[in-house]
Amino acid sequence: MKLYLKIWRQKDASAKGQMVDYTLDGVESDMSFLEMLDILNEELISKGEEPIEFDHDCREGICGTCSLQINGRPHGPDTMITVCQLHMRSFNDGDEIVIEPWRAKAFPVIKDLIVDRSAFDRIQQSGGYISVNTSGRPVDANAIPIEKHIADTAMDAATCIGCGACVAACKNASAMLFTSAKVSQFALLPQGQVEAAERVQNMVRQMDLEGFGNCTNTGACEIECPKGISLENIARMNREYLSASVKG
Amino acid sequence: MGILDSKEPQGPLADKWTKHKNEIDLVNPANKRNIDIIIVGTGLAGGSAAATLAELGYNVKTFCYQDSPRRAHSIAAQGGVNAAKNYQGDGDSVYRLFYDTVKGGDYRSRESNVYRLAEVSTNIIDQCVAQGVPFAREYGGLLDNRSFGGVLVSRTFYAKGQTGQQLLLGAYGAMNRQIQRGKIKSYTRHEMLDLVLVDGKARGIIARNLVTGEIERHSAHAVVLATGGYGNLFFLSTYAMGANVMAAWRAHRRGAFFANPCFTQIHPTCIPVSGDHQSKLTLMSESLRNDGRIWVPKRKEDAIAIREGKLKPVQLSEEERDYYLERRYPAFGNLVPRDVASRAAKERCDAGFGVNKTGEAVFLDFASAIMRYGKEKALTSGMKDPDDNTIRELGEKIVEAKYGNLFQMYEKIVDANPYKTPMMIYPAVHYTMGGLWVDYNLQTTIPGCYAAGEANFSDHGANRLGASALMQGLADGYFVLPYTIGDYLSDDIRTGAIPTDSPEFDAAEKDVRDRMEKLMSGTGIHSVDYYHKKLGKIMWNKCGMSRNEKELKEAIKEIAELRKDFWENVKIPGRPDSKNQELEKAGRVADFLELGELFAKDALERKESCGGHFREEYQTPEGEALRDDENFKFVSAWEYMGEPSTAKLHKEDLVYENIKLKTRSYK
Ligand SMILES: Cc1cc2nc3c(=O)[nH]c(=O)nc-3n(C[C@H](O)[C@H](O)[C@H](O)COP(=O)(O)OP(=O)(O)OC[C@H]3O[C@@H](n4cnc5c(N)ncnc54)[C@H](O)[C@@H]3O)c2cc1C
Ligand code: SF4
Ligand code: FES
């Protein structure tokens, strides 16, 4: 099939970016979206032009690196998948496709379609862990039994891949879904209890410091999240935050 | 043999590690503050090592090429992690895990290292649960287990199909805690381009900031390479696109021996190649073999009809199908080790029974599991005479709970529903058992340079059993390196900070700059991917699942020619002093082009079949691998002498004191 692409090009963080038009022919329906971009890049290189830079690594939906806004939607038209899993069979011959990087103040553009998501790392560094000594000798794993449904709910929250689609989908560029997933995972597990209050306060503080917006409960994040992270996590985080603030 | 000292402790196997820990030197906590360690790689091996070494008090700097440590390739591991906990009471023990691993690796791993791995495996699970890793649980709240290929016990712990992700996030959390404390400095989007030696010791690295293009110097008292495997050499593989051999290869060029480069694991259950544009192969977790049955049609006509779309697989009756693994290996059936399963699939496809368009796929079928689970569920929920459809529906739900995300992934990629029609699978390059040679302390032949996780060679022999790479990465990082590196660093408490303005750093930086300039000055005809794909084709066709003398010799020649062409004609747009993904790729492919030749040379030298290395000249009448313990019971460790063709072979003889070498049989 033949596609008309409009792609965001930006030299570096300080440069002014712009949309550039490309026409690409010979796209097959069982190609992945990123393989389609690979082919475009091969064409550009052979013409002596600079290829379009985009972030990707595992190409199987788990590392959270790929991050394209396609026709206005993070990770493109399909639900519950990342861009690297999106296949061209979701498009038709002659389609016009607009490809942009995540848009959020806290995610500055590095080049073309690549953004800087290190703010997410800093949120995790502010408390997204359990403070257990790694060189020590903890108790036997089965000495901490955890009811199956609780373990499963914690696992559901833990599947967040840190891609940032929730932020890109949100009109306020809020990082609530991402942050709440980690808070929830640990709030649900007995191992996470001791530091629960401190954790939620620190992580929320860092989230605000990084310049993410507020959550106004529009739910766009949940719709675009490739891992189905649920809004319930935001509710749980709000409860945790409230009770932590009451305790002081 | 002289220069290869494995430093295995003496004494009974079960006491070696304890004895060694008691005897090696320690660094006083106050002195650790004055010692810097560089860790390249933040996967399971590097992440866990970084967290633990920082916890102990060392100053740690970590490097990874991704934008966050959490995205290391370990994140992709699906199936699980082994540990000899014997929670299931099915007869597991440290010895049995040790035994299975050595046997599974076709007796080409180092006994003492493997025993230590089995010994510390139980701590790994305790550590990870304490960190909040949400492993699967049974209804009673205790940890659940499943089994993997090559073993007869259930010792694999898992977190849905995302075990690697959860373990890595555990290590990443532990790292984050130390970053917050100021004990780890994390350099993301940085690539190590060279190792710096001062007085023969590893004292730092040259790295490139991948955002600004700046070349940086970083010094330390020791350097740990935890940079993963080199399977991307084949271009098409299950590895992440950025996975590379650069750090290990640079260390090799500086004097670290490269061990067993030809030992490559081909994983039996991957989604088959669909076309020329393909960039990447996707693994379907081996855990699927617990319930899926593997088959091809018995009659060639049926295979042809299926390939042409004239016949549907579900139309063939039980009798018309060849469940070749169950037929050939009744004791292990669909759960034979990976090398055996992969070769058996290739054998059937080569014989003309392949089932996809290109004839390079076999079926992985869940129909009987769905019906079996469905019947069980119907019985336990007290249903009387349920019809087949009801049973199937009940069964599908149970299969969905176990493997749902994998089935979904398959459907997204292939556009076929695996609940209704069998999956198609084919073997793909998945893991490299070879890597930098290390001694018992995980030190390479360069003093002060260590290698951990997939980047080293020691624990898996010629074939890796499932769920043991995660185990090894974490064992190395959490429980081995933190001790053994102290032994070396205890000599460095008075050294003080290592300056980066020394002639050695100047020279290494100059090398790196010259190399980049040379890369960018090619006359520019072909893209980097053009060369990578060509190399991958040579590797797959001539150094892939089976090898022979003639083709290996051809491969050596072809790779050398391709490398020459690459350096003359590669085209890299853009500039070196800014973000430039083509330049990043070019650096990696340049190293693959050298490693590929050494790989073929190693395979040519090893005139036997073992594990993932199958030389067609050496097989039993039934087509099984024919090992030669008399002449090849050694590790090949290659020393760099200027060109892959001149590399010098050193042999570490493998001594088996506690296991009797047997022919590996899974019949
Ligand atoms: C799809 C898939 C499924 C798997 N499933 C399982 C499983 O179920 N069980 C199991 O036990 N094993 C499994 N494995 C194997 C296992 O995941 C890997 O062997 C293991 O995770 C490797 O860990 P590592 O820490 O050694 O390296 P990696 O996780 O590969 O990490 C490498 C690190 O090095 C960094 N790096 C590399 N080169 C450079 C450089 N030049 N400069 C700077 N940084 C660099 C990278 O950024 C990264 O941080 C699977 C593998 C794949 C591909
Ligand atoms: S919550 Fe979902 S969308 Fe947001 S970072 Fe996590 S996986 Fe991505
Ligand atoms: S590239 Fe890893 S999730 Fe898309």
Side-chain angles (χ1 to χ4, degrees):
Chain A
M1 49 184 153
K2 189 169 182 172
L3 297 172
Y4 301 95
L5 307 168
K6 287 188 175 311
I7 303 180
W8 183 260
R9 302 296 314 250
Q10 183 173 334
K11 233 174 141 58
D12 54 43
S14 54
K16 212 167 145 279
Q18 70 192 57
M19 298 301 286
V20 179
D21 291 342
Y22 299 93
T23 308
L24 185 64
D25 212 347
V27 176
E28 289 162 36
S29 63
D30 59 358
M31 284 178 186
S32 75
F33 197 85
L34 300 186
E35 283 163 356
M36 180 275 290
L37 287 179
D38 289 344
I39 291 177
L40 174 63
N41 275 344
E42 285 289 301
E43 275 191 14
L44 293 179
I45 294 169
S46 72
K47 280 192 272 179
E49 289 174 36
E50 277 196 47
I52 296 147
E53 299 223 355
F54 58 95
D55 249 344
H56 64 100
D57 203 18
C58 74
R59 292 208 176 182
E60 52 183 77
I62 188 71
C63 71
T65 310
C66 59
S67 48
L68 300 180
Q69 184 94 352
I70 299 167
N71 290 339
R73 290 186 65 182
H75 295 305
D78 232 335
T79 55
M80 289 286 285
I81 55 166
T82 52
V83 182
C84 57
Q85 290 173 299
L86 178 66
H87 279 71
M88 297 314 292
R89 63 179 83 92
S90 303
F91 299 88
N92 299 311
D93 189 32
D95 274 0
E96 180 184 278
I97 308 178
V98 180
I99 310 173
E100 297 165 278
W102 286 172
R103 300 269 187 212
K105 196 174 92 205
F107 288 163
V109 173
I110 288 178
K111 182 172 185 180
D112 294 341
L113 301 167
I114 300 178
V115 300
D116 177 356
R117 285 169 289 189
S118 53
F120 269 13
D121 280 333
R122 289 187 292 274
I123 294 176
Q124 301 282 347
Q125 284 153 18
S126 71
Y129 47 79
I130 290 174
S131 300
V132 51
N133 192 322
T134 47
S135 47
R137 188 173 262 281
V139 294
D140 184 82
N142 259 350
I144 317 174
I146 300 171
E147 280 175 74
K148 183 167 163 50
H149 73 272
I150 292 184
D152 287 350
T153 318
M155 176 69 206
D156 288 345
T159 54
C160 163
I161 54 173
C163 63
C166 45
V167 174
C170 176
K171 65 176 166 44
N172 309 320
S174 158
M176 284 290 268
L177 196 63
F178 166 79
T179 309
S180 71
K182 205 71 199 167
V183 167
S184 290
Q185 178 193 343
F186 292 142
L188 286 158
L189 296 172
Q191 302 95 304
Q193 296 304 324
V194 186
E195 307 162 282
E198 216 183 317
R199 173 179 310 114
V200 69
Q201 287 178 317
N202 289 342
M203 289 181 78
V204 169
R205 184 183 315 122
Q206 189 64 36
M207 193 173 77
D208 294 341
L209 279 176
E210 295 291 348
F212 291 103
N214 288 321
C215 170
T216 49
N217 280 317
T218 46
C221 53
E222 187 187 45
I223 296 168
E224 299 297 359
C225 171
K227 295 294 150 181
I229 302 294
S230 143
L231 286 177
E232 277 169 37
N233 291 302
I234 297 187
R236 190 176 295 111
M237 178 160 93
N238 284 336
R239 284 198 301 277
E240 289 282 318
Y241 189 75
L242 207 67
S243 81
S245 322
V246 171
K247 278 185 214 143
Chain B
M1 212 161 293
I3 41 178
L4 283 177
D5 179 2
S6 70
K7 302 216 174 73
E8 284 177 273
Q10 298 304 307
L13 188 63
D15 302 337
K16 279 185 203 260
W17 179 228
T18 309
K19 183 167 161 272
H20 190 63
K21 281 192 290 185
N22 288 336
E23 285 172 1
I24 55 184
D25 285 333
L26 296 179
V27 181
N28 160 344
N31 287 331
K32 289 190 184 125
R33 264 177 255 140
N34 303 323
I35 291 185
D36 308 321
I37 302 177
I38 284 176
I39 300 183
V40 188
T42 60
L44 286 177
S48 58
T52 310
L53 291 167
E55 178 101 52
L56 288 171
Y58 297 105
N59 309 313
V60 175
K61 281 184 178 182
T62 59
F63 293 81
C64 66
Y65 69 74
Q66 292 95 344
D67 70 329
S68 164
R70 68 176 290 154
R71 305 205 206 280
H73 179 55
S74 294
I75 199 114
Q78 299 169 345
V81 55
N82 284 337
K85 279 285 201 185
N86 195 26
Y87 280 161
Q88 305 302 329
D90 53 6
D92 201 9
S93 64
V94 168
Y95 182 83
R96 201 176 282 275
L97 174 52
F98 157 71
Y99 177 83
D100 286 344
T101 308
V102 173
K103 175 188 170 197
D106 226 345
Y107 305 92
R108 292 292 176 266
S109 46
R110 194 188 284 145
E111 229 186 20
S112 54
N113 286 54
V114 181
Y115 194 88
R116 172 175 65 191
L117 173 66
E119 190 180 336
V120 303
S121 69
T122 60
N123 293 6
I124 295 174
I125 305 303
D126 299 340
Q127 180 70 49
C128 296
V129 166
Q131 285 168 350
V133 170
F135 284 117
R137 301 264 166 176
E138 291 168 348
Y139 279 97
L142 302 181
L143 290 151
D144 194 10
N145 292 111
R146 60 186 172 200
S147 60
F148 257 56
V151 302
L152 297 170
V153 293
S154 280
R155 63 161 72 100
T156 306
F157 294 78
Y158 64 101
K160 282 209 179 137
Q162 303 162 3
T163 316
Q165 178 196 26
Q166 294 310 321
L167 294 173
L168 183 62
L169 292 181
Y172 166 72
M175 271 184 72
N176 280 336
R177 177 163 165 254
Q178 300 302 331
I179 293 173
Q180 176 85 335
R181 286 180 62 212
K183 291 305 293 180
I184 295 181
K185 211 164 161 357
S186 152
Y187 293 83
T188 58
R189 293 199 198 268
H190 270 69
E191 185 157 72
M192 165 177 163
L193 299 180
D194 212 343
L195 183 72
V196 183
L197 269 56
V198 179
D199 297 331
K201 293 178 178 173
R203 290 300 199 190
I205 64 168
I206 306 290
R208 180 165 180 268
N209 178 329
L210 300 180
V211 176
T212 61
E214 255 165 289
I215 302 295
E216 300 174 2
R217 304 175 179 197
H218 296 273
S219 70
H221 297 88
V223 176
V224 178
L225 303 181
T227 47
Y230 50 84
N232 255 1
L233 159 74
F234 285 80
F235 187 72
L236 282 182
S237 76
T238 65
Y239 284 81
M241 299 298 285
N244 66 87
V245 76
M246 185 185 276
W249 195 255
R250 302 280 107 198
H252 173 58
R253 290 178 62 123
R254 297 277 176 203
F257 290 4
F258 208 101
N260 298 336
C262 81
F263 285 171
T264 308
Q265 180 159 84
I266 314 279
H267 195 293
T269 56
C270 300
I271 299 180
V273 178
S274 70
D276 273 345
H277 55 265
Q278 196 145 349
S279 59
K280 152 89 201 190
L281 296 174
T282 301
L283 176 86
M284 290 280 102
S285 168
E286 184 180 22
S287 62
L288 293 173
R289 287 201 275 148
N290 274 315
D291 283 313
R293 298 177 69 194
I294 295 176
W295 63 274
V296 291
K298 265 190 191 151
R299 301 184 323 151
K300 241 183 223 168
E301 304 86 87
D302 290 341
I304 294 168
I306 288 179
R307 283 206 287 272
E308 291 171 349
K310 291 182 191 144
L311 184 69
K312 291 210 170 76
V314 289
Q315 290 172 309
L316 286 188
S317 67
E318 281 284 303
E319 292 68 44
E320 292 167 313
R321 304 172 176 193
D322 175 15
Y323 296 94
Y324 57 88
L325 288 177
E326 298 167 38
R327 166 169 62 78
R328 283 176 66 176
Y329 310 99
F332 282 72
N334 294 299
L335 283 176
V336 291
R338 293 175 178 176
D339 59 326
V340 179
S342 296
R343 255 191 319 274
K346 180 174 180 343
E347 190 277 328
R348 283 295 78 192
C349 292
D350 288 351
F353 295 91
V355 295
N356 70 345
K357 262 189 253 161
T358 59
E360 288 187 316
V362 299
F363 288 124
L364 175 64
D365 195 339
F366 288 84
S368 21
I370 287 173
M371 295 311 277
R372 176 162 45 88
Y373 284 125
K375 274 186 199 133
E376 203 179 303
K377 181 74 191 172
L379 277 175
T380 51
S381 22
M383 281 186 195
K384 289 212 181 73
D385 300 325
D387 58 25
D388 272 7
N389 271 341
T390 317
I391 292 178
R392 182 165 296 122
E393 262 170 45
L394 291 170
E396 280 179 5
K397 280 215 187 84
I398 295 188
V399 167
E400 187 184 347
K402 291 182 99 161
Y403 310 113
N405 57 334
L406 297 171
F407 277 46
Q408 185 208 354
M409 188 156 94
Y410 181 87
E411 187 164 1
K412 290 283 180 207
I413 295 174
V414 182
D415 205 21
N417 179 348
Y419 294 99
K420 306 293 176 204
T421 179
M423 285 185 183
M424 285 190 285
I425 53 163
Y426 199 67
V429 172
H430 176 62
Y431 182 91
T432 45
M433 281 79 67
L436 291 176
W437 185 90
V438 290
D439 63 16
Y440 189 70
N441 293 324
L442 306 186
Q443 185 166 246
T444 67
T445 45
I446 298 177
C449 177
Y450 290 76
E454 196 173 336
N456 74 25
F457 88 101
S458 57
D459 292 15
H460 306 299
N463 173 51
R464 174 176 72 81
L465 289 184
S468 56
L470 301 183
M471 170 170 71
Q472 187 223 338
L474 290 176
D476 286 357
Y478 283 137
F479 303 117
V480 178
L481 262 182
Y483 287 98
T484 58
I485 210 168
D487 188 42
Y488 171 80
L489 291 172
S490 61
D491 285 339
D492 262 325
I493 55 176
R494 283 188 198 83
T495 309
I498 313 281
T500 55
D501 56 2
S502 60
E504 290 87 352
F505 272 93
D506 291 346
E509 179 173 333
K510 183 170 181 304
D511 274 5
V512 162
R513 287 189 185 279
D514 288 351
R515 201 176 149 80
M516 247 164 30
E517 209 160 283
K518 199 163 156 222
L519 272 178
M520 300 214 54
S521 67
T523 50
I525 303 173
H526 301 296
S527 71
V528 178
D529 276 359
Y530 166 89
Y531 289 99
H532 197 176
K533 283 183 184 170
K534 281 208 146 181
L535 174 65
K537 281 234 164 70
I538 302 175
M539 295 305 298
W540 182 249
N541 292 335
K542 301 190 169 167
C543 314
M545 258 196 284
S546 65
R547 301 141 186 198
N548 60 52
E549 182 177 333
K550 179 174 158 280
E551 289 183 348
L552 286 169
K553 285 185 172 155
E554 287 166 11
I556 290 175
K557 218 171 126 249
E558 287 166 24
I559 297 167
E561 283 162 8
L562 189 64
R563 185 169 62 242
K564 188 162 168 283
D565 185 15
F566 170 87
W567 281 100
E568 281 164 11
N569 292 320
V570 69
K571 177 176 200 152
I572 302 165
R575 299 190 326 264
D577 57 348
S578 69
K579 176 127 198 58
N580 188 336
Q581 287 179 330
E582 285 301 303
L583 179 59
E584 293 162 26
K585 279 199 281 190
R588 296 167 190 163
V589 170
D591 287 343
F592 280 145
L593 283 163
E594 290 184 17
L595 167 67
E597 191 180 331
L598 186 68
F599 183 120
K601 194 172 146 117
D602 186 48
L604 183 63
E605 185 72 30
R606 192 166 279 279
K607 298 188 178 72
E608 64 161 349
S609 291
C610 66
H613 167 72
F614 192 78
R615 274 286 294 270
E616 288 157 14
E617 302 92 328
Y618 309 95
Q619 51 179 306
T620 66
E622 298 88 54
E624 306 292 342
L626 190 62
R627 222 174 53 219
D628 178 356
D629 293 330
E630 186 107 355
N631 297 305
F632 291 93
K633 190 170 60 54
F634 62 75
V635 175
S636 50
W638 296 92
E639 181 180 4
Y640 183 78
M641 309 294 278
E643 279 285 325
S645 57
T646 55
K648 190 169 154 203
L649 177 63
H650 300 267
K651 297 176 182 175
E652 177 195 340
D653 187 33
L654 291 164
V655 183
Y656 291 95
E657 287 173 345
N658 300 278
I659 281 188
K660 230 177 97 208
L661 274 74
K662 287 197 224 149
T663 305
R664 224 161 126 237
S665 166
Y666 295 89
K667 298 253 176 209

